[in-house]
Amino acid sequence: MQHHGGKTTQLAAISNNEAHITACEMNHIRLERLKYNIEKQGATCVYTMEKDARRIDDFFSFDSILLDAPCSGSGTLSINDINLEKTFTTKLIEKSVSSQVSLLRKALKILKPGKEMVYSTCSILHNENEEVINRIIKEAKAEIVPIEFYGIEELPTLQSKIEGTLLVAPNELYEGFFIAKLRKNIQK
């Protein structure tokens, strides 16, 4: 069971409920769960939108963005899953990449110049992570901000194709996931 809004309520908590957080969710049922959890956690600074973030109006502009992109979930797969061949398909990966590219392009468009965003997936596949970033980063005039925090070296990692990003290997303690931090350059 996924905890919808875990990252959102954490952001609210870190900011002492003083940030203005906008959470986009296009799936109605997931949005209802998100709203429920936000309310339960007392995160009053969160505004929710039932919207595909790819269609968000360009007049929006944000100081920071967390794009937790829809993905194949390759970092969370279980070899004991008998339906694996049916659910984890090339088609799913292609569909995910297509969404990720549009979402990242949109996110960088509505991020304020000079500000930073995080792109994350629960996939360990290069084509859903580094390749998506490399495709968009030049056209959006953005750059990688190396991820650094205390204890990072304790994590089980896989080799990422972009230095400064984090690709966590799935093991008995962790699910596999990818994180990149991007800064939108101030246009000259």
Side-chain angles (χ1 to χ4, degrees), residues 72-182:
S72 68
S74 66
T76 65
L77 300 176
S78 164
I79 48 169
N80 304 320
D81 183 355
I82 51 167
N83 296 315
L84 203 54
E85 284 163 30
K86 289 194 195 90
T87 55
F88 187 69
T89 60
T90 313
K91 196 172 179 185
L92 171 66
I93 296 164
E94 284 167 4
K95 188 174 176 253
S96 298
V97 169
S98 166
S99 299
Q100 290 153 358
V101 166
S102 326
L103 282 162
L104 184 56
R105 188 175 277 136
K106 172 60 84 172
L108 282 164
K109 194 170 204 171
I110 59 179
L111 180 68
K112 291 177 185 171
K115 299 294 185 179
E116 295 174 356
M117 69 162 286
V118 167
Y119 173 86
S120 66
T121 72
C122 51
S123 175
I124 53 173
L125 302 177
H126 295 306
N127 49 346
E128 291 188 80
N129 297 324
E130 298 97 324
E131 286 175 26
V132 169
I133 287 170
N134 283 332
R135 222 168 121 179
I136 301 303
I137 201 166
K138 285 182 192 73
E139 72 178 54
K141 295 181 177 60
E143 62 188 7
I144 294 289
V145 178
I147 292 171
E148 293 160 344
F149 57 86
Y150 178 75
I152 194 170
E153 54 288 324
E154 309 289 316
L155 291 171
T157 56
L158 294 165
Q159 188 64 48
S160 173
K161 290 185 176 181
I162 302 177
E163 209 175 320
T165 62
L166 181 63
L167 183 57
V168 172
N171 67 9
E172 59 287 346
L173 292 176
Y174 293 94
E175 289 188 329
F177 62 92
F178 175 82
I179 306 175
K181 197 189 231 188
L182 305 169

Side-chain angles (χ1 to χ4, degrees), residues 25-43:
E25 174 54 67
M26 63 190 273
N27 178 298
H28 184 72
I29 292 164
R30 288 170 66 113
L31 181 77
E32 287 308 312
R33 288 186 191 141
L34 173 69
K35 281 181 178 171
Y36 172 79
N37 286 322
I38 286 167
E39 214 165 293
K40 203 166 95 180
Q41 300 287 333

